[in-house]
Amino acid sequence: MDRYIIVGGHRLEGDVRVDGSKNSVLPVLAATIINGKESVIHNVPELKDVDSLIGLLRTIGCKCLFENNTLIVKSNNSLDTLIPEKPVREMRSSIILMGAMLARNGKVKISYPGGCEIGPRPIDIHLFGLRKMGTKIIEAHGYISCECDKLRGVEINLDYPSVGATENIMLAATTAEGVTIIQNAAKEPEIVDLQNFLNGMGARITGAGTSTVKIEGVKEFRDVEHTVIPDRIVAGTLMSAAAITGGNVVLNNVITDHLKSVSSKLSETGCIITEYQNSLQIMCNRKPKAAEVIKTLPYPGFATDMQAQMMAVMTIAKGTSIFIETVFESRYKHVEELMKMGASIKVDGRTAIVRGVKKLTGAEVRAGDLRGGAALVLAGLAAEGTTVVDNVKLHIDRGYDRLENKLIKLGADIHRV
Ligand code: EPZ
């Protein structure tokens, strides 16, 4: 299952390029089903999740060519409407294909994505929106069968600004009759990137990035070429690596606007962050101070995908921090592993209290989910002695493109076995 061997104690220094965003490229890949033409997508990261979704697109009949971080998808063939169970089980975010398949064929049968390591991951808000647009949905035998001869534009109010539900409804609405309005939509930058991609192929969408997204259904689509935005969570993870090792790092290819909440929190701990056109420098030349409260919220609040990485930094901070995870039910799998390394953390429901300790010591730990795994790598960079992080292939490779190479470039002593 591949493991990282990390010898801690090295300050990270130098510059590194941030890859394209996983959480942007996945819905963009789903959207390539809609135009029935050619989509050329640049800055695509090499990730397990991307490979899984490319595999799914090929299974239903798309032609995909992926090389040098550019992906070409041709979706002109008639496409299957059944999404097989195994790949959906492998990657729950393939539920994003639902909206795109409905826009293209008016029909889709997909197996229930099921929960994952950070919680049950319900899709009731997705289904609520699609039903409001006229989709007949039958949930039986572990499958969701959706059918709709004509999707209708309608106003949909989301109970929660769900990223996936916003994306699925946007995708389905591209060919609906009339105008669809999503109220209480998610405002993540990946939603804006999806809007830009869809408009590039001829859709008519406005408002992404705000709570109200408007989609006017169209009939004709064209080829599209698009460059995926940088991954703000990879950027935040590398910033946290600089913070935990007292380093001095320059990140190239970032959109500093997308990093405001992470930059603000790390500045609170004493890091000095300088923003440039599309890069930033983070210098942390002393032990971090504890940030009093880290509360995860939908964008532009502090990202839940950065909670574990920030917690790793706080385990060795001066003082005590309080984490409140408001987005997912159980996203503290990394806590017990960090405690094996000497961290002092108390979890009570969605709250975790982290009392900074003098130092962490290397140990054998295992990644329980993607971002928790990244947090263990960060802890290993700062720990005294050697840390072994297990389940790299299963979890960390899903969202980080050769993370070890980036860290080695910055002076870390890490290698994969
Ligand atoms: C996306 O997941 C991201 N994944 C997640 O990143 C990220 O943590 C999350 O958004 C929040 O920012 C991708 O973009 C592929 P949600 P998604 O729907 O769309 C509840 C990572 O590490 N909910 O906004 O699944 C849900 O249970 C991954 O890269 C419902 O109750 O997130 C959760 O508690 C992890 N009903 C909350 O909303 C629904 O129908 C947020 O979920 C949908 C969601």
Side-chain angles (χ1 to χ4, degrees):
M1 282 315 233
D2 279 21
R3 297 185 301 165
Y4 280 146
I5 313 291
I6 306 164
V7 177
H10 302 267
R11 286 167 45 98
L12 296 193
E13 296 194 333
D15 66 282
V16 70
R17 184 184 181 280
V18 174
D19 308 298
S21 162
K22 164 178 92 78
N23 291 348
S24 179
V25 78
L26 294 176
V28 161
L29 272 184
T32 61
I33 290 172
I34 295 172
N35 65 354
K37 299 245 169 38
E38 181 177 89
S39 302
V40 179
I41 306 156
H42 302 293
N43 200 30
V44 175
E46 289 186 39
L47 302 171
K48 237 176 77 186
D49 276 6
V50 171
D51 287 346
S52 303
L53 199 49
I54 290 173
L56 256 172
L57 290 177
R58 287 184 173 131
T59 308
I60 60 173
C62 296
K63 285 202 276 315
C64 304
L65 178 68
F66 185 27
E67 52 192 22
N68 305 329
N69 298 101
T70 290
L71 176 62
I72 300 172
V73 182
K74 291 193 175 85
S75 60
N76 43 313
N77 291 342
S78 65
L79 304 178
D80 277 1
T81 58
L82 169 67
I83 314 277
E85 175 177 359
K86 189 172 167 308
V88 177
R89 199 157 290 290
E90 253 167 41
M91 188 186 64
R92 61 169 312 284
S93 43
S94 21
I95 197 71
I96 197 69
L97 290 171
M98 223 166 32
M101 299 291 284
L102 280 170
R104 171 72 188 267
N105 297 321
K107 196 169 169 216
V108 60
K109 182 175 178 187
I110 184 167
S111 85
Y112 233 85
C116 73
E117 308 79 15
I118 55 178
R121 310 296 290 273
I123 56 168
D124 53 312
I125 304 174
H126 298 241
L127 302 182
F128 167 75
L130 296 176
R131 282 194 169 101
K132 276 208 85 169
M133 296 173 76
T135 313
K136 201 155 58 34
I137 300 177
I138 300 162
E139 301 169 65
H141 313 296
Y143 270 85
I144 309 163
S145 303
C146 306
E147 199 147 348
C148 183
D149 37 22
K150 195 70 206 134
L151 286 160
R152 278 189 323 278
V154 68
E155 176 152 333
I156 299 164
N157 203 79
L158 303 188
D159 286 351
Y160 181 89
S162 152
V163 172
T166 303
E167 292 166 345
N168 246 333
I169 296 164
M170 274 168 79
L171 290 161
T174 50
T175 64
E177 221 144 58
V179 175
T180 302
I181 296 179
I182 307 173
Q183 298 288 9
N184 194 26
K187 302 187 277 190
E188 272 70 5
E190 294 75 30
I191 308 273
V192 179
D193 210 28
L194 178 61
Q195 168 183 277
N196 295 341
F197 179 74
L198 287 166
N199 287 345
M201 68 161 70
R204 287 211 200 110
I205 307 177
T206 55
T210 75
S211 302
T212 303
V213 179
K214 214 164 122 180
I215 307 103
E216 191 186 328
V218 296
K219 291 196 175 18
E220 292 301 310
F221 292 97
R222 54 179 184 266
D223 292 353
V224 56
E225 184 156 9
H226 180 79
T227 299
V228 170
I229 57 170
D231 193 312
R232 60 192 169 97
I233 307 301
V234 169
T237 305
L238 293 168
M239 290 166 77
S240 305
I244 201 169
T245 58
N248 177 355
V249 168
V250 172
L251 297 186
N252 296 314
N253 186 41
V254 294
I255 297 175
T256 53
D257 236 19
H258 295 168
L259 294 165
K260 287 292 175 209
S261 63
V262 175
S263 295
S264 159
K265 228 8 115 180
L266 286 172
S267 306
E268 245 183 85
T269 71
C271 295
I272 298 155
I273 294 169
T274 315
E275 298 180 351
Y276 302 96
Q277 181 60 27
N278 54 11
S279 64
L280 75 78
Q281 176 170 21
I282 175 165
M283 278 191 294
C284 324
N285 42 22
R286 67 171 76 81
K287 207 169 165 47
K289 287 197 303 286
E292 313 258 301
V293 177
I294 294 104
K295 182 174 187 179
T296 66
L297 287 166
Y299 193 88
F302 189 87
T304 173
D305 291 353
M306 276 302 304
Q307 177 254 107
Q309 298 91 308
M310 189 68 196
M311 185 180 288
V313 181
M314 291 296 98
T315 61
I316 55 156
K318 281 202 296 280
T320 297
S321 308
I322 298 178
F323 285 78
I324 306 163
E325 172 54 66
T326 73
V327 178
F328 284 104
E329 289 77 3
S330 55
R331 202 166 193 176
Y332 284 136
K333 276 204 171 44
H334 44 286
V335 167
E336 56 187 294
E337 300 302 305
L338 289 170
M339 289 172 74
K340 276 189 203 160
M341 299 174 72
S344 166
I345 306 170
K346 262 198 79 45
V347 173
D348 175 6
R350 288 179 178 244
T351 303
I353 299 168
V354 180
R355 192 174 54 77
V357 293
K358 229 172 175 38
K359 63 176 171 33
L360 296 176
T361 51
E364 300 226 347
V365 290
R366 86 186 25 242
D369 60 81
L370 166 57
R371 308 300 175 184
L376 298 177
V377 174
L378 300 181
L381 295 175
E384 189 182 75
T386 303
T387 299
V388 179
V389 180
D390 207 348
N391 286 346
V392 172
K393 217 180 183 63
L394 183 62
H395 290 300
I396 299 177
D397 288 350
R398 288 191 44 206
Y400 293 91
D401 186 347
R402 287 181 287 266
L403 179 60
E404 67 273 22
N405 293 1
K406 294 182 174 64
L407 295 173
I408 288 167
K409 186 170 185 300
L410 294 172
D413 180 347
I414 176 174
H415 63 280
R416 180 190 285 248
V417 294

